[in-house]
Amino acid sequence: MISTGDMAPDFTLPRTDGRDLTLSALRPGAVALYFYPRDDTPGCTREALEFTALARDFEDAGVAVLGISRDSIAKHGKFTEKHGLGVELLSDADGAVCAAYGVWVEKTLYGRTSMGIQRATFLIAGDGRVARVWPKVRVAGHAAEVLQAARAI
């Protein structure tokens, strides 16, 4: 996993509206980049809703909020519409960005081992460097913690 102080790996991914988004094009603005396992699951829905509830505060702080999973753009669209999400979701269908950030990991659930996305968030400063990393995120209150840290950079 990349660390605080590292340059954030640049990427271009499709957004929910079908257009591409390039991370470096958002500079000099800061970015809260969160990785989550799957659309429309309880934890991922709660996380997206918490970021959505604070979307205006992130905007006022000059911070773009981006969520990334390996789900398709079509699935992201349904997820966004179903829950009225106000954050941008990006599709990393081939997993290259997840691998670059070190969040594509081996996971164990009920004794079965598989590969999947480790829930993590990266706060990226306007110069493209990682200002803070939250590995293995616990969802409750996480968005508020990221906002507090974002206001300090």
Side-chain angles (χ1 to χ4, degrees), residues 5-18:
D6 291 347
M7 281 300 291
D10 199 16
F11 59 80
T12 299
L13 290 175
R15 335 185 310 178
T16 310
D17 66 7

Side-chain angles (χ1 to χ4, degrees), residues 10-13 15 20-27 66 90:
D10 199 16
F11 59 80
T12 299
L13 290 175
R15 335 185 310 178
D20 285 345
L21 182 140
T22 300
L23 179 65
S24 59
L26 299 176
R27 290 184 196 148
L66 305 174
L90 307 175

Side-chain angles (χ1 to χ4, degrees), residues 38-53:
R38 187 170 294 130
D39 288 343
D40 218 11
T41 57
C44 297
T45 300
R46 183 172 181 188
E47 185 175 26
L49 288 172
E50 286 194 13
F51 274 110
T52 294

Side-chain angles (χ1 to χ4, degrees), residues 26-145:
L26 299 176
R27 290 184 196 148
V31 177
L33 182 65
Y34 77 95
F35 289 85
Y36 66 99
R38 187 170 294 130
D39 288 343
D40 218 11
T41 57
C44 297
T45 300
R46 183 172 181 188
E47 185 175 26
L49 288 172
E50 286 194 13
F51 274 110
T52 294
L54 296 173
R56 172 67 110 202
D57 296 309
F58 276 101
E59 185 178 322
D60 290 347
V63 180
V65 177
L66 305 174
I68 296 179
S69 79
R70 292 193 61 184
D71 290 317
S72 69
I73 287 300
K75 193 166 182 195
H76 281 343
K78 290 176 186 173
F79 181 44
T80 297
E81 187 175 316
K82 178 178 178 181
H83 297 285
L85 301 180
V87 295
E88 189 73 57
L89 301 180
L90 307 175
S91 176
D92 183 25
D94 67 4
V97 176
C98 291
Y101 279 80
V103 299
W104 186 249
V105 298
E106 189 174 89
K107 299 167 88 174
T108 303
L109 182 64
Y110 304 118
R112 293 180 46 199
T113 301
S114 64
M115 295 299 289
I117 295 175
Q118 174 180 301
R119 191 181 308 278
T121 300
F122 300 85
L123 181 59
I124 303 167
D127 65 357
R129 294 203 177 275
V130 176
R132 182 142 178 215
V133 178
W134 289 265
K136 300 182 181 180
V137 166
R138 295 233 181 245
V139 172
H142 176 63
E145 185 180 347

